[in-house]
Amino acid sequence: MSEPETIVTLSGIHKTFYRGKEPIHVLENLALDVPDGSFEALMGPSGSGKSTLLNIIAGLDRPTSGTVRVAGADLTTMSDGQLAKWRSETIGFVFQSFNLIPVLTAAQNVELPLLLTPLSGAERKKHVETALRVVGLEDRMHHYPRQLSGGQEQRVAIARAIVNDPKIIVADEPTGDLDRKSAEDVLTLMDRLNKELHKTIFMVTHDPLAAERASVQRKLDKGALQ
Amino acid sequence: MVPFQYNARSLWVRKVTTLATAFGIALVVFVFAGALMLGDVSRVLAAAGRADTVIILRKGSDAELTSAIANDYLGLFRGPPQVSQAGGVIGEIVVVVIAEHADGSGSSNVLVRGTPPEGIAFRPEIKIISGRAPKPGTNEVIVGKAISGRFKGLSAGQSIDLRRNRPLQVVGEFTAGGASYESEVWGDLDYVRNALGREAVVSSARVRLNSSADFDAYRQIIETDKRYSMKVMRESDYYEKQSQQTAAFLKTLGLVVAILFSLAAMIGAAITMNGAVAHRSREIGTLRALGFSRRAILASFLIEAIVLAVVGGIIGSALVLVLSVLVSFPVINFQTFSEIVISFHATPAVFVKSLVFSGVMGLIGGLVPAIRAARVSPIEAMRA
Amino acid sequence: MNLATYARRNLFRRRGRTILTIMAVTLAVVIFCAIRTFIVAWNSGADEAAADRIATRHKVSITMQLPKHYIEELREIPGIKAATWANWFGAKDPKERLPFFAGLAVDHNSWFDVEDEMSVPPDQLAAWKETANGAILGDQLAKALEVQVGSRLVITSDIYPGDWEFKVVGIYTPRRKTVDRNTLVFRWDYLNNDSRAVYSKEHLGWMVSRITDSAQSADISRRIDAKFDSRDDQTLTMSERAFALSFLGGFAAVLTAFNWVSLVILLIMTLILANTLAMSVRERTHEYGVLRAIGFPPGHILGFILGESLLIALVGGVIGVGLVALVINHALGPAMEANMSGVFQHFFTPGWVLVVALGAAAVLGLVAGAVPAILASRLKITDALRRLG
């Protein structure tokens, strides 16, 4: 049996922020390998740099130094424009506060990433319906976010995250704003995405029950991985 | 009462919005103040009129320009007891001539007044500010400050032709306390009327009475005299009537502009304050939860709106100050066809009115948002 | 759905703000058009002046008169097709139905030949030649003074004493929209023969000539002035347009000020629009971060914001232009033309003003949105996501 490919390879990662003149070393000499198809949870205290690491993996931020290879692309050599395009094709985002656009319906929210592709209107519609079916909210297609519960909103957000068929789903505290039951539904869904649709999932979380669902659990403390 | 620091800080924190709105209101105030000062024509003209001085025109004429009175009658005007022996009677001739603008931008009518030797002394407010008074009986003239230098030939040392081969030589410049005389050229009565072929005629007579109360008696005497048909008016009334049409026209224009612009100011204030209330609903909820009453919130946001608008008013007033120093303005008097120069006279009244105006704009524009703010319930404080 | 949907839907997010901003744009467009219309109307008398007519008056003053024999000499000058003259009468209505109106003593044999946009039936012209104290009035003036053909009319003058009685022999109607309809003309010889006209006897006020070739207008004018240059009463000849403008010239400064005011209102509109956009963008910074994260390039964000700004400006602009066309051209304008025709014969917003106003709204809509848009699109994604609003 061959080793699964690593879909994320980070090495020598340093990230320094500046508060005025004072440098703050958030990540120091960090290395990370994530195998393809893995479901990873990253935990750690506040300010440990979890979100920073997530941002670097997702191509939202650049490290101060080090190399970042994700899904076969060397992110550090890519321009902002190239990164944007790469993100739209490769990454699906799930945020803590759902971040749906309030003036668009569920279906329109899910359709948003597809507007960046050359697909026709009819093709986009099909993809949207598929994605919403996966998350079990086909019947709520034309509802506005304010008409949905928190759990439903997050599931629509997940549908948006997968509609472009990304390789990696990046989730920042996906259950942070949800009650227990909704959190369970969301985690079960993410589980299915990982096991049935073979999506690699990289999740940052405080929630130990969420972390339990992951196949790999890592801790980040003072800029270094344990 | 909600402490004013809260409002002040809130305005300061959203600097860009605050400044943009204030500047918009400043522009409105600028236009408003300009319109206010524009309607000031009457002031310019009225300054020439005294209550104890009477102007006599031929009956049926409305202005000096179209009136003609035989010279002989001047003696008769001097007769009645109401006439002040010290002040006396003068007859003057008035004509408009075309003068070319010094900057080549065209030409306008300028009023030339032929006055007797005692004509300048008749008006104590006349001051020769450069050069000297004209010698009586000569072709020397003085020009009013408002038009000096604006026309070809009407500056010290220059001359213009009253008629072919009849030049007027400029020997000095005068002021008249801001009155319309400052837009005129004054020369010798005989020289001017002879040049025009109007010997033994004057356009108007001015009579100084012993007191302003003598007006009715004097008028009765002159207007009922069967030897001639004259119209007697108080000088101040004459000038007021003169400017009526022009003033009414400019005032109406100014008013319409001011009303329309004030709408813009109110809308601008409303948008900003509405945004502020929406943005700060959690803060307001917190204030309510802490115990501040609805009325206190209402007052607080009203004050914020008014302060914002008044800041705009102050900026606008500063702009107006610049305008008043830099710009003065020729306007045609409909009734005499001659030019009067109006300068933007920035009196304290103008500033006060402008600031009050801006405050009122802020009040009206900010009213609905303030009511909205007062309606915010304390529960908003808990919202995520 | 497409990208425009998002921009459009965003306008409904804060409906009150959008409506107020649209109102501001509408107001600005209305004010702008009104001011421009006013300026156009003010100058319309001059703009519509005939190209082949010139006016000759005393060089020194409009109030000074020329010897009557000048007209015979003028008519001999090559290039003059026909010439007539007039004296200003300073007419007033003793019943004060009007504050004043234009009264002229003219040459009854030539006046309407030269001033041919005023149309008079030939039989009325013939009657005028037979009636020494005959007068012809513009149709609006006749209505205001409540007279018809055959009526007796008594007027007074600012310049000449006493009452002057005329018989209305004709009423002229305009051949073109912008022609003055409020003038009274009577026979010059009637004035000249009256003892009260002692100061203007054998004098005329100014002459109006029809020239054979409009292109030669300047040359012919110079020729006329040259002829009378050596006389005591020199002349100044200019095109009819310049003549009309010389009366308006005194108000040039007011009109310039008005011009500036129309620009100021556009500036205010831009400020209000920019402020609204900036407020909305600030509230949606986090959302723009999300869109950028998903993969929308900064250019798209720019486009969304500019699109919103443009949309508000266009909606406000269209409503404003529509209001102007409706109110001014269909209601206010005709009312002003009927009642204030002394000042505004022609109060109408020309099409080009509407187009310019709408265009200005669109352009300024883009300008107003530019700064918030550029700032938003430049923001780092991670900073945008960190924002709460």
Side-chain angles (χ1 to χ4, degrees):
Chain A
M1 194 174 85
S2 57
E3 278 262 325
E5 295 226 346
T6 38
I7 193 165
V8 176
T9 312
L10 274 61
S11 69
I13 299 294
H14 290 264
K15 181 68 182 175
T16 308
F17 288 107
Y18 286 90
R19 183 176 293 154
K21 293 256 175 64
E22 246 190 271
I24 301 172
H25 304 289
V26 178
L27 300 173
E28 293 196 82
N29 208 15
L30 186 140
L32 174 65
D33 289 321
V34 175
D36 191 3
S38 177
F39 186 159
E40 310 243 335
L42 181 63
M43 304 185 69
S46 250
S48 55
K50 309 193 296 291
S51 292
T52 309
L53 181 57
L54 189 92
N55 288 341
I56 290 175
I57 293 174
L60 291 175
D61 198 2
R62 298 179 193 274
T64 314
S65 64
T67 58
V68 183
R69 285 197 77 86
V70 180
D74 185 348
L75 300 192
T76 46
T77 62
M78 288 165 68
S79 72
D80 283 345
Q82 291 167 323
L83 277 173
K85 189 157 189 298
W86 174 84
R87 282 196 306 273
S88 71
E89 292 161 359
T90 320
I91 310 277
F93 284 92
V94 181
F95 300 91
Q96 176 174 354
S97 44
F98 328 136
N99 291 331
L100 296 181
I101 304 219
V103 294
L104 299 176
T105 62
Q108 287 170 332
N109 266 288
V110 175
E111 197 182 347
L112 260 182
L114 296 176
L115 293 178
L116 294 166
T117 66
L119 293 175
S120 74
E123 288 168 328
R124 292 200 300 265
K125 194 158 182 283
K126 266 187 38 220
H127 280 84
V128 166
E129 283 167 6
T130 310
L132 282 170
R133 199 177 313 129
V134 167
V135 305
L137 282 174
E138 232 188 323
D139 56 335
R140 298 263 197 225
M141 255 175 45
H142 300 297
H143 285 200
Y144 285 93
R146 64 174 182 276
Q147 297 167 303
L148 302 172
S149 74
Q152 290 169 329
E153 277 192 78
Q154 192 62 302
R155 281 152 62 199
V156 171
I158 293 174
R160 178 180 70 189
I162 60 171
V163 77
N164 241 349
D165 206 21
K167 300 219 179 58
I168 307 179
I169 295 180
V170 155
D172 194 345
E173 306 278 5
T175 57
D177 281 358
L178 299 174
D179 62 78
R180 196 67 263 154
K181 168 88 176 53
S182 303
E184 276 298 315
D185 292 337
V186 164
L187 289 168
T188 307
L189 177 55
M190 288 175 74
D191 216 8
R192 274 181 54 213
L193 291 177
N194 176 244
K195 301 233 167 37
E196 291 170 26
L197 298 181
H198 306 294
K199 305 273 179 223
T200 308
I201 301 184
F202 195 84
M203 176 176 70
V204 157
T205 185
H206 269 134
D207 185 355
L209 289 171
E212 259 174 37
R213 298 292 202 113
S215 51
V216 177
Q217 295 172 17
R218 299 178 199 269
K219 275 197 82 156
L220 188 63
D221 203 353
K222 296 194 185 50
L225 270 175
Q226 264 103 44
Chain B
M1 276 299 302
V2 180
F4 181 66
Q5 275 110 310
Y6 169 62
N7 304 108
R9 276 234 88 224
S10 303
L11 285 174
W12 181 249
V13 161
R14 293 178 106 200
K15 271 188 280 281
V16 173
T17 297
T18 300
L19 279 174
T21 311
F23 195 65
I25 295 182
L27 288 175
V28 171
V29 168
F30 176 71
V31 169
F32 171 79
L36 263 187
M37 297 190 284
L38 195 62
D40 220 11
V41 178
S42 331
R43 187 189 56 82
V44 172
L45 286 179
R50 293 167 59 136
D52 67 349
T53 303
V54 143
I55 187 170
I56 302 179
L57 300 173
R58 205 245 347 265
K59 186 162 182 219
S61 286
D62 285 329
E64 287 181 289
L65 204 61
T66 51
S67 155
I69 300 174
N71 213 48
D72 298 335
Y73 294 150
L74 290 176
L76 299 174
F77 297 155
R78 195 172 282 125
Q82 293 84 6
V83 177
S84 149
Q85 292 313 311
V89 173
I90 59 167
E92 292 173 322
I93 193 151
V94 151
V95 69
V96 282
V97 299
I98 301 268
E100 281 182 52
H101 295 164
D103 62 8
S105 62
S107 47
S108 312
N109 288 324
V110 170
L111 197 132
V112 173
R113 181 180 298 271
T115 190
E118 59 276 20
I120 294 179
F122 190 81
R123 293 130 173 138
E125 67 270 17
I126 303 283
K127 284 188 190 23
I128 310 275
I129 58 172
S130 78
R132 55 175 174 77
K135 281 205 213 70
T138 65
N139 70 345
E140 294 177 352
V141 296
I142 46 176
V143 297
K145 179 161 180 295
I147 57 172
S148 170
R150 283 190 40 235
F151 296 93
K152 287 196 186 132
L154 287 178
S155 317
Q158 297 182 344
S159 73
I160 59 164
D161 271 351
L162 180 57
R163 209 169 163 186
R164 201 170 124 79
N165 288 332
R166 290 167 186 76
L168 298 174
Q169 200 71 34
V170 179
V171 299
E173 202 179 304
F174 70 94
T175 58
S180 61
Y181 290 144
E182 289 182 4
S183 299
E184 297 178 2
V185 175
W186 286 22
D188 180 69
L189 172 63
D190 285 322
Y191 182 80
V192 172
R193 62 181 170 184
N194 290 345
L196 300 173
R198 310 255 227 106
E199 299 85 355
V201 164
V202 292
S203 302
S204 64
R206 275 173 170 76
V207 180
R208 179 110 337 117
L209 302 176
N210 284 319
S211 89
S212 130
D214 286 328
F215 172 71
D216 289 316
Y218 185 75
R219 179 163 72 132
Q220 179 75 351
I221 295 175
I222 303 293
E223 285 187 352
T224 52
D225 194 316
K226 296 261 189 294
R227 290 172 288 188
Y228 42 67
S229 291
M230 296 294 153
K231 180 159 80 175
V232 176
M233 291 172 81
R234 264 194 238 273
E235 219 189 8
S236 40
D237 292 340
Y238 169 71
Y239 279 110
E240 201 189 289
K241 228 172 154 260
Q242 284 281 284
S243 67
Q244 246 172 22
Q245 276 179 16
T246 314
F249 178 69
L250 290 176
K251 270 211 180 94
T252 310
L253 225 51
L255 193 67
V256 169
V257 166
I259 290 180
L260 289 174
F261 270 70
S262 67
L263 285 176
M266 289 189 273
I267 294 179
I271 293 177
T272 298
M273 291 312 296
N274 243 336
V277 170
H279 180 73
R280 281 144 65 179
S281 59
R282 193 163 351 145
E283 287 169 33
I284 302 172
T286 309
L287 286 172
R288 296 273 290 121
L290 288 176
F292 287 96
S293 68
R294 283 194 206 278
R295 199 172 301 168
I297 304 287
L298 177 76
S300 172
F301 275 84
L302 270 181
I303 290 175
E304 193 171 316
I306 293 174
V307 166
L308 176 62
V310 168
V311 167
I314 293 175
I315 299 176
S317 297
L319 290 174
V320 160
L321 204 58
V322 170
L323 180 80
S324 71
V325 167
L326 289 182
V327 174
S328 71
F329 216 75
V331 154
I332 243 202
N333 185 331
F334 282 138
Q335 278 149 308
T336 65
F337 269 133
S338 57
E339 239 188 42
I340 351 165
V341 176
I342 306 185
S343 41
F344 281 115
H345 199 72
T347 61
V350 166
F351 287 123
V352 167
K353 283 192 190 146
S354 299
L355 289 178
V356 168
F357 171 74
S358 64
V360 169
M361 294 303 106
L363 180 68
I364 300 179
L367 189 61
V368 170
I371 293 176
R372 280 244 190 105
R375 287 235 193 102
V376 170
S377 85
I379 302 176
E380 294 291 325
M382 325 297 191
R383 243 180 242 272
Chain C
M1 147 156 131
N2 52 36
L3 293 170
T5 313
Y6 175 57
R8 215 178 58 234
R9 288 290 185 78
N10 267 327
L11 291 181
F12 292 99
R13 258 167 129 138
R14 291 227 183 271
R15 205 169 301 160
R17 180 186 299 170
T18 303
I19 290 179
L20 279 176
T21 311
I22 291 179
M23 277 170 63
V25 172
T26 303
L27 180 67
V29 164
V30 165
I31 293 178
F32 178 79
C33 288
I35 290 180
R36 295 245 76 86
T37 302
F38 180 84
I39 295 178
V40 164
W42 190 262
N43 286 327
S44 68
D47 288 333
E48 299 279 343
D52 65 340
R53 272 210 299 262
I54 53 178
T56 305
R57 47 156 252 234
H58 198 293
K59 186 174 180 198
V60 170
S61 170
I62 190 63
T63 58
M64 287 177 68
Q65 298 185 314
L66 299 166
K68 184 191 175 257
H69 63 79
Y70 276 26
I71 188 73
E72 280 127 47
E73 299 186 65
L74 179 77
R75 283 176 174 153
E76 285 164 14
I77 293 178
I80 303 286
K81 194 153 67 177
T84 185
W85 74 87
N87 287 34
W88 180 258
F89 188 67
K92 293 197 298 194
D93 176 19
K95 297 204 186 120
E96 291 191 3
R97 285 162 293 199
L98 300 167
F100 64 84
F101 58 93
L104 303 174
V106 303
D107 175 33
H108 58 282
N109 288 318
S110 57
W111 180 256
F112 286 105
D113 293 333
V114 175
E115 298 280 354
D116 57 359
E117 308 95 0
M118 304 181 199
S119 157
V120 185
D123 57 308
Q124 292 180 357
L125 276 176
W128 200 26
K129 300 202 172 136
E130 304 295 316
T131 319
N133 69 339
I136 299 187
L137 282 69
D139 56 353
Q140 275 187 3
L141 181 64
K143 204 157 98 193
L145 293 178
E146 298 158 341
V147 295
Q148 312 119 316
V149 176
S151 307
R152 181 175 152 269
L153 175 66
V154 175
I155 62 175
T156 53
S157 159
D158 214 29
I159 306 173
Y160 303 100
D163 289 342
W164 292 73
E165 180 177 324
F166 296 99
K167 179 153 183 273
V168 178
V169 296
I171 297 198
Y172 75 79
T173 46
R175 276 196 230 273
R176 258 193 355 236
K177 195 145 200 263
T178 52
V179 170
D180 161 60
R181 294 157 76 172
N182 288 285
T183 302
L184 177 151
V185 293
F186 65 93
R187 286 170 53 159
W188 178 86
D189 53 353
Y190 183 68
L191 175 69
N192 201 43
N193 291 335
D194 195 299
S195 57
R196 293 171 284 184
V198 57
Y199 285 120
S200 59
K201 203 157 168 71
E202 296 309 316
H203 276 75
L204 52 84
W206 68 91
M207 303 181 279
V208 183
S209 321
R210 258 254 133 73
I211 56 179
T212 49
D213 180 7
S214 321
Q216 293 204 29
S217 165
D219 286 333
I220 298 177
S221 302
R222 267 195 291 273
R223 217 177 287 158
I224 297 174
D225 292 339
K227 187 176 182 87
F228 298 108
D229 189 56
S230 55
R231 318 287 175 86
D232 224 20
D233 294 298
Q234 295 165 312
T235 59
L236 186 59
T237 307
M238 59 190 98
S239 68
E240 189 174 69
R241 180 164 195 275
F243 191 58
L245 277 178
S246 68
F247 287 98
L248 300 174
F251 268 103
V254 177
L255 291 181
T256 308
F258 244 33
N259 253 328
W260 283 105
V261 167
S262 73
L263 294 180
V264 166
I265 193 59
L266 288 183
L267 180 59
I268 295 176
M269 173 191 93
T270 310
L271 276 173
I272 293 181
L273 197 51
N275 186 34
T276 295
L277 257 306
M279 280 166 40
S280 299
V281 165
R282 197 182 314 127
E283 286 166 7
R284 285 184 237 142
T285 309
H286 182 83
E287 186 171 298
Y288 291 132
V290 169
L291 289 173
R292 297 268 311 270
I294 294 178
F296 281 86
H300 276 66
I301 308 294
L302 195 83
F304 288 140
I305 299 173
L306 284 179
E308 244 180 272
S309 191
L310 188 61
L311 205 51
I312 296 179
L314 281 178
V315 171
V318 165
I319 297 177
V321 158
L323 272 178
V324 164
L326 209 67
V327 172
I328 292 189
N329 292 349
H330 291 272
L332 193 63
M336 286 191 81
E337 285 175 23
N339 294 323
M340 279 189 72
S341 62
V343 185
F344 291 120
Q345 272 138 352
H346 192 49
F347 202 78
F348 186 85
T349 309
W352 65 264
V353 166
L354 297 175
V355 169
V356 165
L358 195 56
V363 168
L364 292 174
L366 289 174
V367 167
V371 171
I374 292 175
L375 289 176
S377 64
R378 287 237 194 110
L379 206 53
K380 272 184 65 171
I381 303 178
T382 47
D383 286 335
L385 285 173
R386 207 170 295 142
R387 296 267 186 90
L388 287 168

